[in-house]
């Protein structure tokens, strides 16, 4: 088996889930999120773009229903022993096949929790599922259960995150010599991703963000490449990835000479991130982190140039995004606790002067101050 954790680690995760299910009086859980399946069993695939479901009963027993293409994938990468294949065919309704499987598992009339809040369950399949369950038993949205369990990282998971962060540092080191006048964005991306692959890492759950010139103000990946000018700005958001565990970083790097506006925005971003570090501690909340970021940027007169969130939890994630919940946004009551891996990003986009500045890195929370997982300092990088 291609397992990345000891069997005892998976057993402990299963036991935590069973306790939560008992607290919610659930007889079974229907897991559709790929990261939930990976966390619980090691099952590793992108086949969640099709219908598949991991059934977890209150006694901890599990059954996976999936397509034939993922039968061997599940056998090779997971701890799952019981795998049932639903057949691709004209007019297939895998939700009906799932209902029949639930009946075979003696779950008729039982209370069933469903993971709805995931890209692994499309709206169409969700409607099919609801139609099959409405006369079968009592179903409820239990999308929050496994994500909350995944929020606190085990020692073994922290080791993965630390390795991911080291790969993220290696990616930046590979990119820096190419960030200069005439430097090609395509070559920069290739160097970064190549360094991660060469270090034993993986594809990220979403594309790296790269943009220069006016595109440096974008916070999403887009197609198209350009070469850097003598005095240019390049925004990069990337993640070191190891066994699907992500450690994102974000920087705006300058070529030539830093403008006065760049320097002003950098100082604001650095001040905000350093202030955020002081409240990313037990006793504070995710909302407190956002409010601190917002307050510092307000003192710099940058409220209209900031975003409405300044980071989020990270861990093992799958396409289409490495962003995990909870996020740093206004009023979020989720408490900060030790052993979380959290990405904080200060993003300032001044569209009037077409000036970009970003600064972000991943932290491990502790009983005290958070620990940055990257070894890079927070200095402005001018090439």
């Amino acid at each position: 088996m291609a397992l990345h954790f000891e069997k005892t680690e998976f057993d402990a995760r299963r036991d935590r889930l069973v306790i939560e299910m008992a607290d919610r009086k659930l007889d079974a859980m229907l897991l559709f999120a790929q990261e939930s399946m990976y966390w619980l069993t090691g099952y590793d695939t992108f086949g969640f773009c099709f219908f598949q479901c991991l059934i977890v009963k209150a006694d901890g027993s599990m059954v996976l229903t999936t397509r034939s293409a993922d039968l061997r994938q599940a056998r090779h990468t997971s701890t799952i022993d019981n795998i049932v294949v639903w057949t691709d065919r004209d007019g297939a309704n895998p939700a009906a096949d799932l209902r029949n499987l639930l009946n075979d598992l003696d779950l008729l009339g039982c209370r069933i929790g469903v993971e709805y809040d995931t890209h692994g369950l499309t709206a169409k399949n969700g409607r099919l599922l609801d139609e099959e369950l409405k006369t079968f038993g009592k179903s409820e949205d239990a999308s929050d259960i496994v994500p909350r369990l995944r929020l606190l990282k085990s020692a073994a998971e922290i080791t993965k995150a630390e390795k991911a962060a080291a790969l993220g540092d290696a990616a930046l080191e590979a990119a820096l010599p190419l960030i200069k006048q005439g430097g090609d964005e395509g070559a920069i991306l290739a160097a970064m991703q190549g360094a991660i692959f060469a270090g034993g890492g993986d594809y990220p759950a979403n594309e790296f963000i790269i943009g220069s010139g006016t595109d440096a103000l974008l916070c999403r990946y887009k197609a198209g490449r350009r070469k850097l000018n003598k005095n240019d700005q390049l925004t990069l958001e990337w993640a070191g990835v190891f066994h699907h565990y992500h450690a994102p970083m974000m920087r705006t790097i300058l070529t030539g000479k830093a403008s006065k506006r760049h320097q002003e925005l950098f100082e604001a971003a650095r001040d905000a991130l350093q202030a955020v570090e002081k409240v990313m501690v037990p006793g504070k909340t995710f909302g407190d982190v956002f409010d601190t970021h917002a307050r510092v940027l307000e003192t710099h007169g940058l409220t209209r140039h900031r975003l409405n969130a300044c980071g989020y939890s990270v861990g093992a994630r799958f396409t289409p995004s490495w962003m995990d919940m909870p996020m740093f946004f206004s009023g979020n009551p989720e408490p900060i606790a030790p052993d979380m891996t959290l990405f904080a990003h200060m993003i300032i986009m001044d569209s009037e002067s077409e000036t970009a500045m970003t600064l972000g890195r991943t932290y491990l929370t502790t009983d005290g101050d958070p620990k940055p997982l990257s070894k890079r300092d927070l200095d402005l990088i001018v090439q």
Side-chain angles (χ1 to χ4, degrees), residues 78-352:
S78 81
T79 61
I80 305 168
D81 294 321
N82 194 348
I83 304 166
V84 177
V85 171
W86 67 267
T87 303
D88 295 285
R89 60 193 183 279
D90 185 44
N93 181 356
D97 294 337
L98 174 58
R99 174 193 166 116
N100 292 335
L101 179 55
L102 294 173
N103 189 63
D104 292 341
L105 294 173
D106 295 324
L107 290 170
L108 181 64
C110 291
R111 187 174 179 135
I112 299 172
V114 182
E115 270 192 336
Y116 285 107
D117 190 12
T118 170
H119 298 91
L121 183 65
T122 64
K124 178 181 178 180
N125 285 334
R127 294 182 68 179
L128 292 174
L129 177 67
D130 286 345
E131 184 66 25
E132 295 297 331
L133 291 181
K134 70 180 182 181
T135 59
F136 183 82
K138 298 178 181 178
S139 61
E140 65 179 71
D141 189 346
S143 302
D144 60 311
I145 292 181
V146 176
R148 290 186 67 84
L149 294 175
R150 292 194 303 104
L151 179 58
L152 299 179
K153 305 302 190 289
S154 69
E157 289 179 294
I158 290 169
T159 298
K160 305 286 187 189
E162 290 172 338
K163 173 64 175 178
L167 292 174
D169 284 344
L172 180 58
E173 292 301 322
L176 287 177
L178 305 175
I179 301 176
K180 58 186 178 181
Q181 181 179 1
D184 190 295
E185 289 181 356
I188 293 167
L189 276 180
M192 297 181 78
Q193 191 64 81
I196 291 170
F197 285 150
D202 301 295
Y203 285 109
N206 59 256
E207 299 89 344
F208 289 174
I209 295 166
I210 183 168
S212 58
T214 56
D215 289 342
L217 280 74
L218 302 181
C219 297
R220 296 286 184 262
Y221 172 86
K222 72 168 191 62
R225 303 283 179 266
R226 72 181 286 271
K227 293 185 178 180
L228 302 179
N229 295 326
K230 179 179 180 180
N231 293 298
D232 215 329
Q233 55 185 354
L234 175 72
T235 293
L236 295 170
E237 185 181 32
W238 73 102
V241 190
F242 187 68
H243 294 166
H244 293 294
Y245 283 81
H246 291 71
M249 294 177 67
M250 196 169 193
R251 289 294 182 103
T252 298
I253 301 171
L254 308 179
T255 62
K257 183 179 179 181
S259 69
K260 179 182 178 182
R261 188 56 170 163
H262 276 122
Q263 190 65 46
E264 291 172 348
L265 298 188
F266 169 74
E267 290 173 3
R270 182 193 57 203
D271 290 351
L273 187 57
Q274 290 175 338
V276 156
E277 291 175 357
K278 291 181 172 60
V279 294
M280 199 185 294
V281 296
K284 299 295 185 178
T285 69
F286 277 66
D288 292 331
V289 170
F290 174 82
D291 291 344
T292 299
H293 137 273
R295 186 165 52 252
V296 173
L297 294 188
E298 182 180 13
T299 64
H300 285 269
L302 297 171
T303 298
R304 60 199 174 100
H305 300 305
R306 65 162 172 81
L307 302 186
N308 293 325
C310 69
Y312 40 82
S313 175
V314 289
R317 286 284 289 181
F318 289 76
T319 306
S321 176
W322 67 52
M323 293 186 288
D324 220 338
M325 292 296 171
M327 300 185 75
F328 298 131
F329 54 68
S330 180
N332 190 341
E334 184 70 38
I336 302 289
D339 299 330
M340 295 178 174
T341 47
L342 307 177
F343 174 49
H345 58 62
M346 307 297 109
I347 299 176
I348 309 170
M349 301 302 185
D350 182 354
S351 296
E352 295 170 5

Side-chain angles (χ1 to χ4, degrees), residues 22-91:
D23 288 345
R24 295 272 283 264
K25 297 180 171 54
L26 296 175
D27 299 298
M29 278 280 293
L30 304 184
L31 301 183
F32 291 94
Q34 184 58 46
E35 51 269 20
S36 294
M37 301 185 201
Y38 179 76
W39 177 81
L40 190 60
T41 72
Y43 179 38
D44 190 351
T45 183
F46 62 74
F48 62 92
C49 57
F50 300 99
F51 188 98
Q52 64 174 7
C53 177
L54 180 63
I55 306 162
V56 184
K57 295 183 68 175
D59 62 3
S61 61
M62 292 179 274
V63 182
L64 174 70
T65 178
T66 189
R67 299 169 65 245
S68 59
D70 278 301
L71 172 63
R72 291 161 188 83
Q73 193 87 7
R75 285 176 176 169
H76 187 67
T77 66
S78 81
T79 61
I80 305 168
D81 294 321
N82 194 348
I83 304 166
V84 177
V85 171
W86 67 267
T87 303
D88 295 285
R89 60 193 183 279
D90 185 44

